[in-house]
Amino acid sequence: MKFGLVGSTSGTDFSKKNSNFENKILNTQGRVVAARVIDIVLDENHKYYELVGQWNGIGAIFYEIVNKSGTKSYPNFALPYDSQLKTYPLVNEIVLLISLPNQSMGFVSSNESYFYMSPLGIWNHPHHDAYPNLLDGTNDQEQTRDYQSTSSGSVRRVTDGSTEIDLNSSNPSQNTFVEKVNIHPLMPFMGDSLLEGRYGQSLRFGSTAKSKSEKKNNWSDSGKNGNPITILRNGQPTKSSDEGWIPITENIRYDQSSIYLTSTQKLKDFFVASELYQSYDPILKPTPPSQFTKPQVAINSDRVVINASSDSILLSAEKSIGLSTNGSVNIDAKSHYVSSNDIRLGSIKATQPVLLGNETIDIMLELAYAIRSLANMLEVQRDYPEGVLKTSFNSIAGSVMTCLDGSDGIINRLLNGSLKSQTTKVQ
C-alpha cells in the first residue's frame, strides 16, 4: 500500500535509502531543517504522482537542504504540515521541514516523515519568496549578481520585468504561475492581522489607525484609533506601479473587487456609480456611502451578482431600500406584486390618483348606453318649427350610433376588455 509519506513505502531497498537519507539530515541538522523546494506535485500528470501516493500526495514537495550539497531528496518528499490551511510553495522557495510521526506510527514508533511549513518570508513579499541555489551553475550572471548583492545587505528590487527565477515545476501540466513585478504588499498598521495572496488578494482584520506615516490609509478620517474594520480585497488597482516592493493600502474605488465591514470609518473614496435620490423626501434622503460613519457593509466591483439557487433573496431595511442607477431598473418576473398604502409614480410629489379599471369601465358603459338611447330618439325626431321640417339632428345622431355600436365601437371595446391592462392591477 502507498501512503504517500516518506518512509511508509514498502520495499527493503527504498526503505534503506530513505532511512539513510533522513539520518544524514537528522544527524547534522536536528528535527527541523530549512530546505529549498526543487519540485512539487499538484496534479496527476506529474512524473512522481504515483510515488507520492496519487491524490493523497497532492502538494508533496521534493527538496534540497539549504547550504548542504548532495541533499536533493529524490525519491523522498515532504507533505504539508497543516491539511486544512495550506500555502503551496513555488520552486526555489525556502520551507521549514519538521520530522514528525507518519501513518506508520501505529506499527513502527520510530518511523517519521518530513512535513513542511509555509514558505519562509525571505524577501517579506507575498508574491514569492524564492531564493535559488547560487552555487548550482544554472543561474545567469545578472540574477546571481542581484541575489549576491541582496545577501550583502541590499533590498531585492526587480526593475527589468522579472527575476528570471525558475518558479514552476518539472510538470508542464501544472505550470501556471506567472511572475508579476507590480504586485505590492499591504501596508500594515499597529495590531493588524493580514492574510495576503500572491496576486493582490488580501484579508485585513484592522482598525482605525491615524498613522503619521506617508503611507496613510483612506478609512481613518473618522472614529477613534482601535475601532475595528475588516477588508476583503481581490485584486489591487490595475494601474499599480511596477515598483512592487513599495507597500500600498486598499482602495475601495480602484481595487478590482472589495468588501468592507466598517464600524465608525468613513470610506471617503467610495464614490458609487449613481447617487440619484430624487424619489426621496429631502429630509429623508440617505447619507451617501462615502459620508456614512456608522457600521456598514460596502461591496464594490464591476458587477455584483446575488443568486439564491433554491429559495429567496430577502432585502430588508428599517428606513428604505434605494435603487439608483444611471441606466434603467429592469424587473422581469412571472408575477410582480407591490403591497403599499402609498404608491407614487413619476415623482414623490405626485397627487393624481390612478383610476380603477373595472369601475371605470362600468361607469363608461352606463354613459355610453345613455348616449345611445338619446341618439336613438334624435335619429327619428321630426321638428316643425314655424311649419318647416327640421332634421339636422338625424345625421349627428346616426354618427353617434355608428361610433357606439360599430364592430370597433366604444361599447364593444368596453365589453371585450381590450381597454383593460392584462398585466397590471391596482386596488
Side-chain angles (χ1 to χ4, degrees):
M1 179 179 293
K2 296 181 180 179
F3 293 98
L5 291 167
V6 174
S8 63
T9 305
S10 60
T12 304
D13 293 338
F14 180 80
S15 296
K16 288 182 178 179
K17 182 182 295 185
N18 179 51
S19 177
N20 292 336
F21 177 78
E22 291 199 347
N23 287 335
K24 177 181 179 181
I25 298 174
L26 289 173
N27 289 336
T28 58
Q29 300 287 334
R31 299 176 65 87
V32 179
V33 296
R36 177 178 291 105
V37 178
I38 58 178
D39 207 351
I40 184 169
V41 179
L42 293 176
D43 70 26
E44 75 280 11
N45 296 313
H46 197 285
K47 60 184 177 182
Y48 290 125
Y49 170 71
E50 297 288 339
L51 172 66
V52 301
Q54 301 178 354
W55 292 115
N56 288 335
I58 291 298
I61 64 167
F62 298 92
Y63 52 89
E64 62 181 3
I65 304 305
V66 173
N67 295 329
K68 290 291 180 180
S69 60
T71 58
K72 291 188 176 181
S73 68
Y74 294 113
N76 305 295
F77 56 88
L79 290 174
Y81 171 80
D82 191 334
S83 60
Q84 280 80 38
L85 182 62
K86 305 173 185 177
T87 298
Y88 293 113
L90 301 171
V91 170
N92 279 312
E93 287 191 313
I94 309 300
V95 298
L96 286 181
L97 301 180
I98 305 177
S99 181
L100 296 170
N102 59 30
Q103 291 181 354
S104 299
M105 61 182 176
F107 306 99
V108 183
S109 59
S110 61
N111 201 356
E112 294 189 348
S113 299
Y114 272 120
F115 298 87
Y116 67 87
M117 308 289 286
S118 298
L120 296 182
I122 298 293
W123 307 115
N124 194 27
H125 199 285
H127 189 48
H128 77 75
D129 283 292
Y131 197 117
N133 187 345
L134 303 179
L135 303 178
D136 66 359
T138 61
N139 305 293
D140 59 42
Q141 292 183 354
E142 182 178 349
Q143 178 185 323
T144 301
R145 186 166 52 250
D146 176 29
Y147 281 84
Q148 285 175 338
S149 63
T150 299
S151 63
S152 300
S154 301
V155 178
R156 182 178 71 97
R157 295 180 176 178
V158 180
T159 58
D160 60 354
S162 140
T163 58
E164 295 85 30
I165 303 174
D166 185 8
L167 301 170
N168 283 292
S169 78
S170 63
N171 174 21
S173 171
Q174 66 187 41
N175 291 346
T176 60
F177 183 81
V178 177
E179 184 178 11
K180 298 183 177 183
V181 299
N182 65 342
I183 299 297
H184 297 255
L186 279 181
M187 179 71 181
F189 300 97
M190 188 63 70
D192 281 355
S193 295
L194 301 178
L195 179 62
E196 297 182 65
R198 296 187 186 271
Y199 290 105
Q201 316 98 314
S202 62
L203 176 60
R204 182 193 294 268
F205 296 100
S207 68
T208 297
K210 300 180 184 294
S211 171
K212 303 300 182 182
S213 168
E214 65 177 28
K215 295 293 182 182
K216 295 179 173 59
N217 60 65
N218 57 11
W219 60 80
S220 295
D221 285 357
S222 64
K224 298 179 180 179
N225 284 336
N227 291 341
I229 186 171
T230 301
I231 303 173
L232 175 63
R233 176 194 65 164
N234 184 61
Q236 61 188 24
T238 56
K239 295 183 179 180
S240 297
S241 76
D242 288 338
E243 297 177 324
W245 59 89
I246 300 178
I248 61 175
T249 59
E250 300 91 333
N251 189 306
I252 193 171
R253 184 177 183 182
Y254 296 113
D255 290 335
Q256 295 179 42
S257 295
S258 304
I259 300 178
Y260 281 60
L261 286 75
T262 72
S263 56
T264 62
Q265 296 79 15
K266 180 170 67 174
L267 304 179
K268 62 181 181 180
D269 290 333
F270 190 22
F271 298 103
V272 296
S274 172
E275 291 186 356
L276 295 175
Y277 302 131
Q278 296 176 1
S279 62
Y280 282 88
D281 187 306
I283 63 174
L284 300 176
K285 187 175 295 187
T287 303
S290 60
Q291 301 301 314
F292 197 70
T293 56
K294 294 181 180 180
Q296 71 172 330
V297 176
I299 303 175
N300 188 58
S301 188
D302 286 353
R303 171 182 281 191
V304 177
V305 178
I306 302 176
N307 178 65
S309 60
S310 63
D311 205 281
S312 307
I313 294 176
L314 305 176
L315 300 178
S316 176
E318 180 66 28
K319 291 185 177 180
S320 69
I321 295 176
L323 301 177
S324 178
T325 174
N326 293 320
S328 62
V329 176
N330 302 333
I331 301 176
D332 300 297
K334 293 181 179 179
S335 301
H336 180 200
Y337 304 106
V338 177
S339 176
S340 174
N341 293 327
D342 187 5
I343 299 176
R344 304 192 183 205
L345 302 177
S347 171
I348 191 174
K349 299 179 181 180
T351 58
Q352 295 293 327
V354 176
L355 296 178
L356 299 179
N358 290 334
E359 284 77 359
T360 301
I361 292 295
D362 290 342
I363 292 172
M364 291 181 66
L365 274 172
E366 292 181 11
L367 178 61
Y369 289 144
I371 294 175
R372 185 172 66 178
S373 298
L374 178 60
N376 281 331
M377 291 186 293
L378 292 176
E379 189 177 28
V380 296
Q381 182 178 354
R382 297 292 188 270
D383 290 336
Y384 295 92
E386 301 178 355
V388 180
L389 177 61
K390 298 289 185 182
T391 60
S392 56
F393 293 123
N394 301 146
S395 59
I396 297 175
S399 298
V400 170
M401 293 292 293
T402 301
C403 183
L404 291 172
D405 291 333
S407 59
D408 195 32
I410 293 176
I411 292 178
N412 191 41
R413 293 169 63 190
L414 291 173
L415 291 172
N416 64 22
S418 62
L419 297 179
K420 298 180 181 179
S421 172
Q422 303 301 308
T423 59
T424 304
K425 305 293 188 294
V426 296
Q427 178 178 340

